[in-house]
Structures are given as C-alpha cells and as structure tokens.
C-alpha cells in the first residue's frame, strides 16, 4: 500500500505495509546548483597568509563557488533549484513526489526542516519531508534511506537533495579549514519501477561518534571539547582537525569501497563509475591507486568546486549524467565520509 501525495492510500486491496520484493528503483532525474560567484586561490592569497601553490598541492583545489546572500542564495534557494532541475529532467510534476529528503548540516533554520521549506517552495503538496544530518556522508546516507523506503513499498517517488552552504559556517581567519570548502547542491529523483534489476545492489553505512571532535560545528560554548579554543567567534564556525580527518579518510575510503564490493560479490573492475565525495584530491588519488582505477572511472571536480560537503556527490553524479558519461544500466558506486564521524558507500545499477 502506498501513500499518495495528499495522504490517501492508492490501494485498498492490500492491508498493512508489506515489503514489495518485485520493485526496482530507478534514478529517473538529476539536477544540481552552484552559484556564479567564484572564490579563487588568488583571492585567498589576498585574504590570508597562504599561496595558490600550497592550496593546490595539498588539496587539488584551484577555486570554489560561493553563495551570494545578497542575491537570496541561501540553503533553500540551492535545494529548490537543484530539485526543480531534477524534476524537470525526470519530466515530473512536484506533486508526484511523495517524500523529500534533504541532507544538510547548513539548513537556514533547524525548524522547519530544509525539506519542508523546499516542499513549500516547489509546491510538493503533502509529500513527507525531513532532513538527514550526516555531514559530507549525507547524500549517500539519504539515497540509501530513500531507496529502502521505495523497496519497502511505503513510498513510490522520492526526491533527494544533498546541499551545503559551507560559507555560512566558515571562519575566514582559519587558513587550515576555509581554503577547502565551497557551496553546492545536487539532487536526484528516485522512483519505483517494475524493472527489478534497477536500484541498489549493496550498501554500507557507518559512524564512529567517538571521533566527533575531529570535525564539528559548535552551537554554544558548551560544545567545545576540553583544550579547544571556545571563543565566541568560533561558535557556528566549522572546527576541523585536518590531519586526523585526512588519516581517517584515507583508511575508510578504501575500506568502505572494498566492503561494499564484497557484499555485492563484485570487484572494482566491474564498476563503471565511483562517484565520490570531493574532500581532497590526494584522498581520491589514494583510493584510485589502491583499486587501480583508470582516471575516467573516478570523477574529480574538486579543482573547480572545492569540498561542498553533502552537495558534492550529487553534484558529481549530475555532471556525469548530464554530460552522458553515466548511462542507463551502468554500475555506479557512491562513496563519502565526513563529520560524525560518518562514512558510507552504496552500489547501484542506475
Ligand atoms: O569533507 C570531509 C572533511 N575534511 C577533509 O577531508 C579534510 C582532510 N584533511 C585535509 O585535506 C588536509 O589535512 C588539509 C588540506 C586540511 C591540510 O593539509 P595538511 O597537509 O594536513 O596540513 P597540516 O594541517 O598538517 O599543516 C601543515 C603546515 C602547518 O605549518 P607547520 O605547523 O608545519 O609550520 C600549517 O600551519 O601547513 C600550514 N598550513 C598552511 N600553509 C599555507 C595550514 N593551512 C595552510 C594554508 N596555507 N592554507
């Protein structure tokens, strides 16, 4: 039994919620949004003690896109644009969505959720709407959750957005953190299909809360761990121990890819594309080397967009799909890690 957008049920023949074993899940549309404004390494050279050479060598980043709040470019705007584009790509009316899931750690407000705001903005009627907080892993967590809602039979059509406006939580006096991040949103529309070969083949979602202090966004003085600078100008500003996050990332990135391949009974050679969180070009390169992947199998756009947290995986997927590099029926693995600490991978036949 599935809900329609207005809260009524489609079928009265089946009573209670039953898993729908004969349902596949198709990614029937994608969209993304990045703002026009560019913040280059040369701009950082003017703002702080750093160089283009240092930033590029350590991260692979040349420039990133940043929101212009004066133009109304807030989280709601990013998500609304990305999801509207994904719906247009799927040739679907917003009212056909019966759930909206938004992965973000930079919502405009904590209540209502970003998903409720976006639902109203696009006119999605009474679709369910909620946010997922899993930092940079948020998009991968969310497509996994949305997929399983469809496979369970409770929903048929789910819009998923990963979005972060990292500039809204950035301390531009901190050169160790601010040079990494940019703003972006990526969205997909998932829909039930009779083609049971489509959808997720295997997934792994993990977290280690004991590592939270390596990457956190404090909302009050009380949130700072002992020994950290808890001055008022650090509140609502991203705090990161880059060196520790780097070590964690290099280890977990390869581990989670291998774990997901093992669950699927496949090897890296079988996978057409690895769509990965863009955290640092060196972290991506180490995974590429570990699995011997040719460059065309692991897309990198960090040079132009920086690290956009929950926005990056959806942005990469949309760029690959719209440029025709990802095509129907291919095997695609989504991979991410981030604050929490969290990490996840999911392998799909798209
Ligand atoms: O999305 C998930 C979250 N984040 C990540 O994935 C980030 C993971 N970490 C990283 O990408 C790297 O740790 C960074 C790029 C953030 C930093 O690179 P690093 O090689 O780990 O540098 P570091 O923090 O160990 O610093 C090395 C040196 C230090 O100088 P001293 O103490 O050795 O004299 C820093 O002060 O580089 C200095 N430094 C800089 N120099 C010029 C740090 N930031 C800068 C900078 N420009 N922007």
């Amino acid at each position: 039994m599935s809900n329609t957008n207005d809260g009524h049920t489609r079928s009265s023949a089946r009573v209670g919620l039953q898993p729908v074993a004969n349902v596949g899940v198709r990614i029937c549309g994608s969209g993304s949004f990045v703002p026009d404004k560019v913040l280059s390494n040369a701009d950082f050279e003017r703002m702080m003690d750093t160089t283009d050479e240092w930033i590029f060598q350590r991260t692979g980043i040349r420039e990133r896109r940043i929101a212009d709040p004066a133009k109304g470019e807030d989280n709601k705007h990013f998500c609304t644009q990305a999801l509207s584009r994904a719906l247009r790509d799927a040739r679907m009316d917003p009212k056909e969505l019966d759930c909206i899931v938004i992965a973000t750690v930079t919502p405009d407000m904590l209540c209502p959720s970003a998903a409720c705001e976006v639902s109203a903005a696009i006119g999605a009627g009474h679709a369910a709407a909620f946010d997922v907080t899993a930092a940079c892993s948020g998009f991968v967590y969310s497509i996994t959750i949305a997929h399983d809602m469809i496979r369970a039979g409770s929903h048929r059509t789910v819009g998923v957005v990963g979005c972060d406006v990292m500039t809204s939580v950035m301390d531009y006096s901190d050169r160790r953190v601010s040079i990494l991040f940019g703003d972006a949103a990526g969205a997909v529309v998932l829909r039930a299909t009779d083609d049971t070969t489509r959808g997720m083949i295997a997934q792994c979602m993990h977290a280690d809360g004991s590592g939270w202090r390596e990457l956190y966004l404090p909302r009050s003085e009380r949130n700072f761990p002992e020994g950290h600078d808890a001055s008022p100008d650090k509140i609502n500003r991203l705090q990161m121990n880059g060196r520790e996050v780097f070590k964690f990332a290099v280890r977990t990135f390869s581990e989670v890819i291998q774990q997901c391949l093992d669950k699927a009974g496949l090897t890296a050679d079988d996978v057409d594309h690895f769509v990965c969180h863009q955290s640092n070009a060196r972290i991506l390169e180490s995974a590429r080397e570990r699995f011997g992947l040719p460059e065309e199998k692991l897309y990198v756009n960090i040079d132009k967009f920086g690290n956009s947290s929950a926005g990056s995986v959806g942005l990469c997927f949309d760029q690959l799909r719209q440029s025709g590099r990802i095509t129907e029926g291919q095997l695609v693995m989504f991979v991410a890690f981030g604050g929490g600490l969290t990490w996840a991978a999911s392998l799909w036949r798209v």
Side-chain angles (χ1 to χ4, degrees):
M1 181 155 48
S2 59
N3 292 331
T4 58
N5 189 320
D6 59 6
H8 299 292
T9 50
R10 279 209 173 87
S11 159
S12 55
R14 291 168 54 207
V15 179
L17 181 65
Q18 302 185 4
V20 185
N22 56 346
V23 159
V25 179
R26 191 169 160 253
I27 302 179
C28 55
S30 69
S32 58
F33 177 79
V34 287
D36 291 336
K37 199 168 170 183
V38 172
L39 184 63
S40 68
N41 290 352
D43 294 324
F44 272 104
E45 284 179 346
R46 285 186 283 274
M47 288 158 61
M48 56 179 64
D49 179 18
T50 191
T51 60
D52 171 51
E53 193 193 0
W54 191 96
I55 299 173
F56 186 69
Q57 274 183 3
R58 300 284 175 126
T59 68
I61 300 170
R62 290 276 188 213
E63 59 186 46
R64 52 308 274 139
R65 300 296 182 91
I66 59 164
D68 183 352
K71 283 168 58 186
E73 287 174 345
D74 55 10
N75 185 299
K76 179 172 91 176
H77 180 79
F78 274 62
C79 292
T80 303
Q81 291 293 320
L83 185 54
S84 300
R85 288 172 187 181
L87 284 163
R88 269 201 298 282
D89 185 44
R91 295 188 177 78
M92 230 182 252
D93 186 274
K95 290 239 166 12
E96 292 178 62
L97 291 174
D98 44 28
C99 184
I100 297 173
V101 184
I102 294 190
T104 187
V105 290
T106 53
D108 298 326
M109 291 188 268
L110 281 180
C111 182
S113 64
C116 285
E117 285 204 274
V118 170
S119 174
I122 64 171
H126 291 174
F130 63 92
D131 292 358
V132 167
T133 304
C136 306
S137 312
F139 183 80
V140 182
Y141 264 56
S142 298
I143 53 172
T144 306
I145 294 164
H147 176 279
D148 286 353
M149 287 166 72
I150 295 171
R151 283 298 296 269
S154 61
H155 295 76
R156 281 188 65 77
T157 311
V158 183
V160 179
V161 188
C163 172
D164 271 311
V165 183
M166 295 307 285
T167 51
S168 66
V169 294
M170 211 41 64
D171 173 2
Y172 284 102
S173 68
D174 186 347
R175 67 176 184 170
R176 297 166 307 118
V177 182
S178 57
I179 48 104
L180 272 183
F181 292 93
D183 302 333
V188 288
V189 176
L190 308 182
R191 180 165 249 188
T193 169
D194 292 339
D195 181 353
T196 53
T197 65
R198 296 299 185 89
M200 204 165 64
I201 295 163
Q203 65 87 14
C204 312
M205 283 200 286
H206 297 289
D208 176 6
S210 70
W212 72 271
R213 55 179 61 74
E214 311 303 354
L215 187 56
Y216 65 100
L217 193 44
R219 292 180 60 216
S220 91
E221 224 172 79
R222 289 190 305 279
N223 297 145
F224 291 87
E226 223 178 296
H228 286 215
D229 175 6
S231 50
D233 59 354
K234 304 276 179 205
I235 292 168
N236 284 320
R237 295 290 171 262
L238 189 74
Q239 306 299 313
M240 181 178 78
N241 180 348
R243 221 173 274 187
E244 281 308 311
V245 176
F246 190 91
K247 281 193 260 170
F248 154 76
V250 168
R251 189 181 71 247
T252 52
F253 227 73
S254 293
E255 276 175 13
V256 80
I257 290 173
Q258 189 59 56
Q259 195 183 18
C260 199
L261 288 170
D262 290 346
K263 276 193 183 181
L266 296 171
T267 68
D269 288 347
D270 299 319
V271 179
D272 296 297
H273 294 276
F274 291 83
V275 182
C276 299
H277 172 46
Q278 305 287 302
S279 53
N280 181 319
R282 289 188 290 146
I283 295 171
L284 295 169
E285 186 56 26
S286 79
R288 210 177 66 71
E289 274 175 17
R290 156 82 174 72
F291 293 99
L293 304 174
E295 274 179 23
E296 62 273 16
K297 275 198 182 187
L298 199 162
Y299 182 58
V300 177
N301 69 5
I302 194 169
D303 53 326
K304 290 252 174 300
F305 301 100
N307 175 343
S308 55
S309 183
S312 75
V313 175
L315 174 65
C316 287
F317 179 73
D318 185 48
Q319 291 181 340
L320 286 165
R321 198 165 166 276
Q322 302 302 342
S323 64
R325 287 169 65 184
I326 286 185
T327 54
E328 297 262 329
Q330 284 189 323
L331 277 181
V332 176
M333 189 185 287
F334 299 92
V335 193
F337 70 91
L341 298 165
T342 54
W343 62 105
S346 73
L347 179 64
W348 291 59
R349 185 165 299 282
V350 296

